[in-house]
Amino acid sequence: MNRTPDLEAVRRADPAEVARRIVGRRDQLALDDRSLAHQAAMSPAYFRYLLAAGPAFDPAGFVRIAAALRMTWAELLDDRTDAPPGQSLPPEGTPRPLLLHLSEPECWLLVGTHGVGRVGLPGTPAPTVYPVNYAVDGRTVVYHTSPRGAAAAPDGSPVSFQADHIDDRLTEGWSVLMLGTAQHVDDPQEEGRLARLPGSTPWAGGDRPLWVRITPDEVTGRRLGPG
């Protein structure tokens, strides 16, 4: 079963030091922000936001950055080759992880019919990201929320959607990123149909009558595996 990176180690990490190590390794590899962000399957704006926010904001995003830089998770968090307390490392001699491109059909297969993902909304000074439980409807992603909720993307606004599963030993995992447009669903019959999809009930509960459909213009994915 895939697991997210150890959260205690993530909380202990100093965001400024992690950013310094990323920038240093980026320069060593002669990469710029755009090319590094592309390899890590995220937008350059989101990459720059992560550098300021730190690993606790999106641990899986930093796992992808580490793999793109050919670094281990421990090296990225603590600049060390031994694991922080409570966190395991791959066995000695295990190759560094690689990020492999996924085709669009592979991305949709991994996202599956439903699950938990993150929706990114436009914001100032940087995009904001919120967890949502979603359902896949055709080649779109749908979720419902409160009209005044934080995840209520404005109708017609550009959004991103991300879902991933990363093993905490950095041996395997995947990440899918979709960039597209949010649309409000206001047809009662369509709302009823969506409500019957697997996984469509929000875990948070409460009154969440607004259905939001994300129609992607771009679907990209990476698989994390041993080099």
Side-chain angles (χ1 to χ4, degrees):
M1 178 178 176
N2 287 334
R3 297 163 291 177
T4 57
D6 180 73
L7 295 182
E8 183 58 34
V10 169
R11 284 191 289 267
R12 287 195 303 266
D14 182 340
E17 284 300 307
V18 172
R20 179 187 61 80
R21 285 190 281 275
I22 289 173
V23 170
R25 179 63 171 163
R26 179 203 65 190
D27 294 344
Q28 184 182 31
L29 296 176
L31 298 171
D32 57 22
D33 284 356
R34 181 173 295 277
S35 58
L36 176 54
H38 176 73
Q39 291 184 41
M42 61 184 65
S43 71
Y46 188 63
F47 168 75
R48 289 190 290 269
Y49 181 70
L50 286 186
L51 287 187
F57 179 77
D58 180 3
F62 278 86
V63 169
R64 296 197 307 279
I65 292 172
L69 293 172
R70 301 303 304 276
M71 300 174 70
T72 66
W73 183 235
E75 289 169 339
L76 184 67
L77 288 187
D78 290 313
D79 196 20
R80 54 193 287 187
T81 56
D82 58 317
Q87 184 180 356
S88 58
L89 281 175
E92 185 176 353
T94 300
R96 298 291 178 89
L98 292 178
L99 281 177
L100 308 176
H101 288 258
L102 293 170
S103 67
E104 184 170 337
E106 288 174 322
C107 290
W108 284 108
L109 182 63
L110 288 169
V111 169
T113 58
H114 63 281
V116 177
R118 294 182 296 278
V119 59
L121 310 182
T124 303
T128 53
V129 180
Y130 302 99
V132 295
N133 58 292
Y134 68 89
V136 172
D137 184 38
R139 283 297 183 259
T140 69
V141 170
V142 295
Y143 66 94
H144 62 154
T145 185
S146 167
R148 295 182 177 85
D155 191 35
S157 64
V159 296
S160 65
F161 174 80
Q162 181 178 312
D164 45 48
H165 288 281
I166 304 294
D167 187 274
D168 63 0
R169 289 175 57 86
L170 299 187
T171 56
E172 62 179 4
W174 57 267
S175 176
V176 171
L177 176 66
M178 302 182 184
L179 303 177
T181 305
Q183 299 170 317
H184 292 182
V185 177
D186 54 14
D187 178 84
Q189 288 189 334
E190 180 67 358
E191 291 174 347
R193 185 184 70 82
L194 295 178
R196 294 189 293 273
L197 293 176
S200 64
T201 302
W203 290 1
D207 185 23
R208 300 172 183 270
L210 174 63
W211 277 98
V212 179
R213 183 187 302 277
I214 298 175
T215 303
D217 300 313
E218 181 180 353
V219 178
T220 58
R222 302 290 187 274
R223 183 181 294 279
L224 181 69

